[in-house]
Amino acid sequence: MTQDDITLLVLAGGQGRRMGGVDKGWTLLRDKPLILHVLSRLEGRTGAVLINANRSLDAYEQLGYPVVTDIEGDFKGPLMGILSGLTAALTPWVLVVPCDTPALPKDLVTRKIEGINDHDIAVAHDGERAHPVVALMRRDLAPDLREALAAGERKIDRWYARHHWCHVDFSDQPEAFINLNSPEDKANLNQRLERDGST
């Protein structure tokens, strides 16, 4: 597997309920939308990029990448966004990341490639907890995911458990996976990005 075999799928299709229903991708952090922070960390590191979104579609499309809406509506959660991305991707592998994690490791792609070995799914782990929506997976898992969703499955962990999956260790940079769910998170992210020299 090389970087060109991977499509980056940025999940920006949620309801943002814990943030009062805002479109998280366009929430500003250091005067820059979260979606742009995420893209700037990973742009050029995969063969293609897709954005999964269900609102602000014109704004996302202006970023210059294909925008994929959920195959089924009613905000059925990240698994539906993942299915929509797997279905649209043209590469054999898809790297899923959320739009509200702006300090992702810049070496995320290379370490995922090195860590997945013969597994179907590789989930980031920060040394204390797993981050299931930061995962590299085979595109050809789409039919099984479609079947699981049709049966009512909404839990990412339970769907992963159906497959040959592994963790990839990122315990050397746990703060890279801080996401934005509260004002406190925003303060932590500001500090992280300042230390990292990111804007």
Side-chain angles (χ1 to χ4, degrees), residues 9-165:
L9 172 64
V10 184
L11 297 179
Q15 289 178 292
R17 282 177 293 193
R18 285 181 289 180
M19 289 285 288
V22 301
D23 188 341
K24 279 197 194 177
W26 297 104
T27 299
L28 295 180
L29 179 69
R30 305 188 77 193
D31 299 318
K32 181 174 169 181
L34 288 179
I35 185 75
L36 291 181
H37 282 285
V38 172
L39 288 171
S40 69
R41 306 292 286 191
L42 300 172
E43 272 180 320
R45 291 173 166 82
T46 60
V49 177
L50 293 172
I51 297 171
N52 167 241
N54 293 305
R55 50 184 168 161
S56 309
L57 300 183
D58 289 344
Y60 284 115
E61 286 170 356
Q62 288 176 19
L63 298 176
Y65 297 110
V67 176
V68 178
T69 57
D70 284 356
I71 292 172
E72 296 180 18
D74 300 325
F75 293 98
K76 294 187 176 178
L79 279 179
M80 184 59 71
I82 291 171
L83 173 62
S84 304
L86 291 178
T87 303
L90 300 176
T91 58
W93 293 90
V94 173
L95 175 64
V96 180
V97 301
C99 71
D100 65 346
T101 311
L104 286 167
K106 292 183 177 178
D107 60 354
L108 181 67
V109 176
T110 55
R111 288 174 66 168
K112 288 281 195 177
I113 291 172
E114 292 167 0
I116 196 166
N117 297 314
D118 63 345
H119 296 88
D120 298 319
I121 302 170
V123 177
H125 198 288
D126 67 12
E128 293 189 5
R129 58 183 291 262
H131 296 274
V133 287
V134 183
L136 177 64
M137 64 188 70
R138 292 184 181 276
R139 182 191 62 184
D140 61 14
L141 295 178
D144 182 80
L145 179 51
R146 187 185 298 273
E147 181 181 297
L149 282 162
E153 185 60 81
R154 297 293 180 268
K155 298 287 188 182
I156 292 180
D157 294 343
R158 285 205 298 252
W159 180 64
Y160 287 171
R162 295 162 62 127
H163 301 285
H164 189 43
W165 71 281

